[in-house]
Amino acid sequence: MTTDPPTPTTPAPRASPAVRLPLTLVAGLGLLALCAALSLAIGSRTIPLDTVVEALTGGQHGGDADVVTGLRVPRTLIGLAVGAALGVAGAVAQGVTRNPLASPVTLGINAGASFAVVAAIHTFELTRPVEYVWFAFAGAAVAAVAAYAMSRSGGDLDPVRLALGGTVLTVVLTSWTSALMLASHRTLDEARFWLAGSVAGRHLDTLVPVLPFLLLGLVASFAVAPSLNALALGDESAQSLGVPVARVRMVGGLAVVLLAGSAVAVAGPVAFIGLAAPHLVRPLLGNDHRLLLPGCLIVGPVLLLTADVLGRMVARPSELEVGIVTAFLGAPLLAVLARRVAR
């Protein structure tokens, strides 16, 4: 008795980007809405969601409603802004440098902004984040230029040297930051909470001054997105396609500085959001930066709000700063990504 050979099966065709993008963005926006709702409801004590809705619509005042509108709404909005800035900054940094491990942290940009802010606190006795936003931008810019200068090899950008240069900058600047804090108890008291990376206790007057720079960084990022696709082919190939490589790198680098500087000025140096967000989006939307950046704009806040909510839950009635939670969760991720890149 003979049997027919099995009919070969073909894999189901993958949905086109025109279909994947709306579906993925809708799912991501739903997840982001859930994270925002949890951020408004969960804290040292849990507030029912119906109370949260009534507080937001003006149907209830006093007690839990004041906690929602006065503390948790600003904290959630700042988390949304900072997460979006870091997620997009990481994607642009990886595109500009052609290095999958690039991020505001690994390039030394966060460390540069942090050192500049602590130096300003130490020298000028600043006390509010709104006062040292300019120092955060300046430190981020100097660190980015220094990392880029150390990565040049024969006139081209060397991604490996860039990662090594960023690591060296981070170690050096972190040591200098620690030295400044140890030299002054006032600087230590003022900066240690901010350096942990936190959105707790922040008010909207902290976010408003940096919002124009954050928005400008987002506009610049989306403007260079098509050129980043060509840049992934290499400088010579991109130039043969008519892409002005130097200009794209300058605009992309400026966007990363604006986004990372804004985030650090508001929330301190929050690690790994910029590194993780692009790697979580790429399996869903691919490597096209025109799709990648909108995905990171959503995934970045999802990661930050999730880490912030976890920090509130694990140490009740106290809490862990979001920067501590992201560092704890991001260290294994960095090891996995480094192993994957090495392969």
Side-chain angles (χ1 to χ4, degrees):
M1 180 177 181
T2 60
T3 59
D4 296 332
T7 303
T9 59
T10 58
R14 191 177 183 181
S16 66
V19 175
R20 290 203 315 273
L21 180 61
L23 293 178
T24 305
L25 292 183
V26 168
L29 288 172
L31 181 59
L32 182 59
L34 175 61
C35 292
L38 293 176
S39 178
L40 294 173
I42 296 176
S44 58
R45 70 177 186 273
T46 300
I47 298 176
L49 285 178
D50 57 346
T51 303
V52 172
V53 173
E54 291 180 0
L56 295 177
T57 57
Q60 183 172 337
H61 302 279
D64 288 343
D66 288 345
V67 172
V68 171
T69 57
L71 296 177
R72 296 186 184 175
V73 167
R75 181 171 183 169
T76 301
L77 292 176
I78 290 173
L80 291 170
V82 171
L86 293 176
V88 174
V92 176
Q94 292 173 14
V96 167
T97 62
R98 303 200 308 273
N99 186 339
L101 297 181
S103 74
V105 174
T106 57
L107 296 181
I109 294 175
N110 276 15
S114 300
F115 173 72
V117 168
V118 172
I121 292 173
H122 177 78
T123 305
F124 303 109
E125 299 186 359
L126 305 183
T127 58
R128 297 184 302 156
V130 67
E131 296 174 333
Y132 43 69
V133 57
W134 295 107
F135 296 95
F137 286 137
V142 171
V145 171
Y148 181 75
M150 287 189 289
S151 67
R152 303 294 288 179
S153 176
D156 295 326
L157 183 71
D158 187 337
V160 175
R161 292 182 62 174
L162 182 65
L164 292 176
T167 301
V168 170
L169 275 177
T170 299
V171 172
V172 171
L173 293 172
T174 301
S175 300
W176 290 356
T177 301
S178 300
L180 283 178
M181 295 176 64
L182 293 175
S184 168
H185 289 294
R186 188 196 64 79
T187 303
L188 177 62
D189 292 338
E190 185 67 34
R192 62 182 176 181
F193 178 74
W194 176 82
L195 280 174
S198 177
V199 294
R202 304 291 197 270
H203 301 287
L204 292 182
D205 61 353
T206 304
L207 175 63
V208 170
V210 306
L211 200 55
F213 305 101
L214 193 155
L215 293 176
L216 181 60
L218 290 177
V219 170
S221 299
F222 281 89
V224 298
S227 299
L228 292 179
N229 293 334
L231 206 62
L233 303 175
D235 290 2
E236 293 184 359
S237 298
Q239 288 174 347
S240 67
L241 294 173
V243 174
V245 173
R247 186 188 307 169
V248 169
R249 283 217 168 93
M250 182 179 68
V251 175
L254 177 63
V256 174
V257 168
L258 289 173
L259 293 172
S262 300
V264 172
V266 174
V270 179
F272 293 107
I273 299 295
L275 177 65
H279 288 280
L280 293 175
V281 174
R282 284 191 183 97
L284 300 173
L285 297 177
N287 293 317
D288 188 342
H289 286 82
R290 294 170 297 179
L291 307 182
L292 182 65
L293 295 189
C296 291
L297 193 66
I298 296 174
V299 171
V302 166
L303 293 176
L304 193 140
L305 290 179
T306 300
D308 189 37
V309 171
L310 287 176
R312 304 182 211 179
M313 296 175 61
V314 298
R316 280 183 170 180
S318 184
E319 64 180 63
L320 293 177
E321 284 76 13
V322 65
I324 296 175
V325 178
T326 57
F328 179 78
L329 298 177
L333 172 66
L334 180 60
V336 171
L337 291 179
R339 184 177 179 85
R340 182 182 300 174
V341 170
R343 289 178 178 174

